């Protein structure tokens, strides 16, 4: 592909300007020219606290997670609906970031994120489990394949090289972080933590799944000192009612909106938070969750918040 225009700084409003400018000489920096590292801090560059900076200006991350398991069809969904999810997140829900949980998403979804200016956390497949040596070798290959496929996308700002909600495996995660850096040194690494300790942590951005609540109100634990701190999940999987469906009353639906507002207010209360990614943007197919499953679905209700 030939260079069609001069490359300049991108922001979350006009990534589309640069999505088609990928050349061999610029691929290593995500397919578009970014500022020097001392100006571009992806959720606290160099493991420094203080939030997320885009082109030298602090931006509060306000977003949601996305499962790509569409109700009743799973992964089998047309490109136009993959794109529609990105449009809803960006335009209807006013998100500036999405976490793709817990696997690399459809290229059609990422195409839309590139064009719309929706920042992306992309992570390798896995959830709460780490197996033996052969399994771990596959996990390393998964990270390499993810980064190789999508390192030219301007929307991706974080590689999830630690598998979701897994225990500490310093040897494995040192390898996955290293291979991500070798293949693309322009982005930081992370992984959603279910326990809150940096003692054996081995990523660039400390991300925590915070589902704490008190007396029916969502609350966040304070940021860990000395690390870039991002809330990677909150509210929707465990807080409040077991389900939030279109058929429920307005009072029930308003409860979910109230919980999300409380969580985001908490994330804006302290500069130590880089921001918050709520769980989750859309209803998704699931058989895991006890009384939180309704007709083989989890219905956390986030997509109703713009109604």
């Amino acid at each position: 592909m030939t260079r069609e225009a001069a490359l300049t700084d991108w922001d979350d409003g006009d990534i589309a300007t640069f999505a088609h400018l990928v050349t061999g000489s610029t691929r290593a920096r995500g397919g578009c020219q970014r500022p020097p590292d001392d100006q571009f801090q992806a959720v606290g560059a160099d493991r420094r606290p203080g939030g997320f900076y885009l082109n030298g200006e602090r931006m509060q991350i306000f977003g949601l997670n996305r499962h790509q398991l569409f109700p009743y069809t799973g992964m089998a969904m047309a490109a136009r609906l993959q794109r529609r999810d990105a449009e809803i997140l960006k335009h209807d829900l006013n998100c500036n970031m999405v976490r793709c949980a817990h696997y690399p998403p459809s290229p059609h979804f990422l195409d839309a994120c590139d064009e719309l200016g929706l920042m992306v956390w992309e992570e390798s497949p896995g959830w709460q489990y780490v197996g033996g040596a052969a399994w771990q070798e596959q996990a390393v290959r998964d990270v390499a394949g993810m980064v190789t496929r999508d390192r030219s996308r301007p929307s991706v700002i974080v590689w999830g090289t630690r598998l979701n909600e897994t225990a500490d495996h310093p040897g494995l995660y040192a390898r996955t972080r290293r291979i991500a850096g070798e293949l693309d040194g322009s982005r930081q690494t992370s992984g959603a933590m279910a326990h809150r300790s940096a003692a054996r942590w081995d990523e660039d951005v400390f991300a925590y799944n915070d589902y704490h609540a008190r007396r029916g109100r969502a609350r966040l634990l304070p940021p860990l000192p000395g690390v870039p701190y991002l809330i990677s999940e909150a509210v929707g999987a465990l807080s409040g009612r077991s389900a939030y469906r279109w058929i429920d009353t307005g009072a029930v639906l308003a409860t979910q909106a109230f919980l999300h507002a409380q969580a985001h207010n908490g994330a804006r209360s302290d500069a130590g938070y880089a921001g918050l990614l709520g769980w989750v943007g859309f209803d998704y197919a699931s058989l895991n969750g006890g009384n939180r499953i309704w007709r083989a679905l989890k219905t956390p209700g986030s997509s109703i918040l713009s109604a």
Side-chain angles (χ1 to χ4, degrees), residues 22 29 34 70 77 99-100 110 120 123 138 151 192 215 218 233 238 250 272 283-284 289 295:
V22 180
R29 293 194 67 78
R34 294 180 177 175
F70 286 86
M77 189 53 69
R99 174 176 170 232
C100 299
L110 292 177
V120 172
E123 67 186 47
Q138 181 60 56
R151 61 190 170 186
R215 298 176 182 174
E233 295 181 22
L238 301 175
D283 297 346
Y284 58 97
R295 297 185 180 180

Side-chain angles (χ1 to χ4, degrees), residues 3-88:
R3 182 182 296 235
E4 299 182 28
L7 303 181
T8 57
D9 298 350
W10 62 269
D11 63 40
D12 71 323
D14 61 12
I15 291 177
T17 307
F18 312 108
H20 64 289
L21 298 181
V22 180
T23 70
S25 62
T26 62
R27 185 180 68 176
R29 293 194 67 78
C32 61
Q33 184 64 48
R34 294 180 177 175
D37 287 341
D38 62 349
Q39 297 179 39
F40 183 89
Q41 300 179 24
V43 201
D46 303 322
R47 298 170 77 126
R48 292 175 297 184
F52 171 74
Y53 288 81
L54 182 62
N55 298 331
E57 296 184 6
R58 192 182 191 283
M59 174 187 291
Q60 185 78 4
I61 290 174
F62 179 90
L64 290 162
N65 288 255
R66 175 187 183 253
H67 251 317
Q68 197 168 266
L69 292 168
F70 286 86
Y72 313 116
T73 64
M75 294 286 189
M77 189 53 69
R80 64 182 179 83
L81 292 180
Q82 300 280 0
R83 173 176 293 272
R84 180 59 181 147
D85 274 6
E87 292 171 347
I88 291 171

Side-chain angles (χ1 to χ4, degrees), residues 166-178:
T166 54
D168 293 322
H169 290 269
L172 171 62
Y173 293 137
R175 291 180 64 196
T176 56
R177 180 186 179 198
R178 182 174 63 252

Side-chain angles (χ1 to χ4, degrees), residues 4-302:
E4 299 182 28
L7 303 181
T8 57
D9 298 350
W10 62 269
D11 63 40
D12 71 323
D14 61 12
I15 291 177
T17 307
F18 312 108
H20 64 289
L21 298 181
V22 180
T23 70
S25 62
T26 62
R27 185 180 68 176
R29 293 194 67 78
C32 61
Q33 184 64 48
R34 294 180 177 175
D37 287 341
D38 62 349
Q39 297 179 39
F40 183 89
Q41 300 179 24
V43 201
D46 303 322
R47 298 170 77 126
R48 292 175 297 184
F52 171 74
Y53 288 81
L54 182 62
N55 298 331
E57 296 184 6
R58 192 182 191 283
M59 174 187 291
Q60 185 78 4
I61 290 174
F62 179 90
L64 290 162
N65 288 255
R66 175 187 183 253
H67 251 317
Q68 197 168 266
L69 292 168
F70 286 86
Y72 313 116
T73 64
M75 294 286 189
M77 189 53 69
R80 64 182 179 83
L81 292 180
Q82 300 280 0
R83 173 176 293 272
R84 180 59 181 147
D85 274 6
E87 292 171 347
I88 291 171
L89 290 167
K90 177 70 177 181
H91 296 311
D92 296 343
L93 298 173
N94 296 314
C95 294
N96 57 28
M97 185 172 175
V98 58
R99 174 176 170 232
C100 299
H102 310 287
Y103 35 77
S106 163
H108 300 298
F109 178 75
L110 292 177
D111 287 345
C113 292
D114 288 341
E115 296 164 16
L116 295 169
L118 182 63
M119 298 182 293
V120 172
W121 161 330
E122 185 174 351
E123 67 186 47
S124 55
W127 187 62
Q128 297 184 346
Y129 174 80
V130 172
W135 193 99
Q136 293 185 32
E137 289 299 324
Q138 181 60 56
V140 173
R141 290 193 293 270
D142 287 343
V143 170
M146 171 183 69
V147 175
T148 300
R149 190 191 79 166
D150 292 326
R151 61 190 170 186
S152 293
R153 293 187 175 277
S155 59
V156 176
I157 67 165
V158 172
W159 296 122
T161 57
R162 179 189 181 113
L163 304 183
N164 178 63
E165 296 179 345
T166 54
D168 293 322
H169 290 269
L172 171 62
Y173 293 137
R175 291 180 64 196
T176 56
R177 180 186 179 198
R178 182 174 63 252
I179 197 166
E182 290 171 352
L183 292 168
D184 170 33
S186 69
R187 297 170 176 93
Q188 293 181 296
T189 63
S190 192
M193 308 276 287
H195 62 284
R196 195 167 167 274
S197 171
R200 300 177 61 180
W201 168 68
D202 201 26
E203 287 74 49
D204 298 306
V205 178
F206 192 96
Y208 179 58
N209 293 351
D210 194 338
Y211 287 103
H212 287 84
R214 177 185 294 165
R215 298 176 182 174
R217 299 175 65 91
R219 70 182 185 93
L220 302 177
L221 298 182
L224 286 179
V227 298
Y229 191 84
L230 174 67
I231 302 299
S232 43
E233 295 181 22
V235 179
L238 301 175
S239 304
R241 301 290 187 99
S242 60
Y244 294 89
R245 306 160 297 185
W246 285 104
I247 60 175
D248 290 324
T249 66
V252 169
L253 301 183
T255 300
Q256 182 72 332
F258 187 51
L259 288 167
H260 274 272
Q262 290 171 340
H264 279 287
N265 283 343
R268 290 176 179 270
S269 69
D270 186 326
Y273 295 104
L276 183 144
L277 302 167
W279 190 270
V280 61
F282 305 95
D283 297 346
Y284 58 97
S286 178
L287 296 176
N288 180 45
N291 67 349
R292 292 190 172 272
I293 302 301
W294 179 73
R295 297 185 180 180
L297 300 178
K298 273 193 176 176
T299 58
S302 299

